[in-house]
Amino acid sequence: MRVRTATIMISIALLAGCAPTQQDYDAIVTLLQGSARARNEFVKVCAKDFDANARRTAGIVTNVSDKDAPRAACRRYLAAAISGRATYQDLLDIKAHRFTPKLIKIFQGR
């Protein structure tokens, strides 16, 4: 239950506009690194929150169908966060709609 709660909290924070603190972000990344169940839940919750416009934009950036784009974008960000490639600052950039070349590469799977 705690895994689901923490995963839902980060997913909501990632997509709803409010960013977790640096400490919360680090703790959640650590949780995601060690739990396949938490990773699956993260992708599921993350992908549900894309509206039609976000799906279309994600489809263009990820180079997959609009239908599959939310899951692809969520998986790619998750992989980058787990590996340390995506940082807390990158999350803040996403929340502020500042899509840097680094973030575009992450979402493109490069």
Side-chain angles (χ1 to χ4, degrees), residues 36-110:
R37 184 174 176 188
R39 290 189 298 273
N40 291 335
E41 189 68 25
F42 172 87
V43 172
K44 185 171 91 176
V45 171
C46 173
K48 283 183 181 179
D49 290 334
F50 279 68
D51 63 17
N53 187 44
R55 281 181 188 277
R56 176 117 176 100
T57 301
I60 291 167
V61 175
T62 60
N63 197 32
V64 298
S65 72
D66 292 358
K67 177 185 171 203
D68 297 333
R71 291 185 75 75
C74 293
R75 282 187 189 126
R76 290 174 185 177
Y77 181 80
L78 175 62
I82 287 171
S83 73
R85 186 167 172 225
T87 64
Y88 179 68
Q89 182 59 51
D90 294 323
L91 174 63
L92 296 179
D93 287 339
I94 291 169
K95 298 285 84 204
H97 301 285
R98 288 187 303 260
F99 290 95
T100 64
K102 176 184 174 186
L103 285 172
I104 291 170
K105 286 179 182 178
I106 286 170
F107 288 120
Q108 288 178 335
R110 303 190 285 146

Side-chain angles (χ1 to χ4, degrees), residues 3-51:
V3 171
R4 180 174 172 84
T5 303
T7 304
I8 290 170
M9 287 173 34
I10 188 64
S11 298
I12 291 168
L14 285 170
L15 298 170
C18 55
T21 65
Q22 173 78 52
Q23 184 177 356
D24 290 342
Y25 179 84
D26 292 342
I28 292 167
V29 168
T30 301
L31 168 70
L32 293 169
Q33 287 170 332
S35 173
R37 184 174 176 188
R39 290 189 298 273
N40 291 335
E41 189 68 25
F42 172 87
V43 172
K44 185 171 91 176
V45 171
C46 173
K48 283 183 181 179
D49 290 334
F50 279 68
D51 63 17

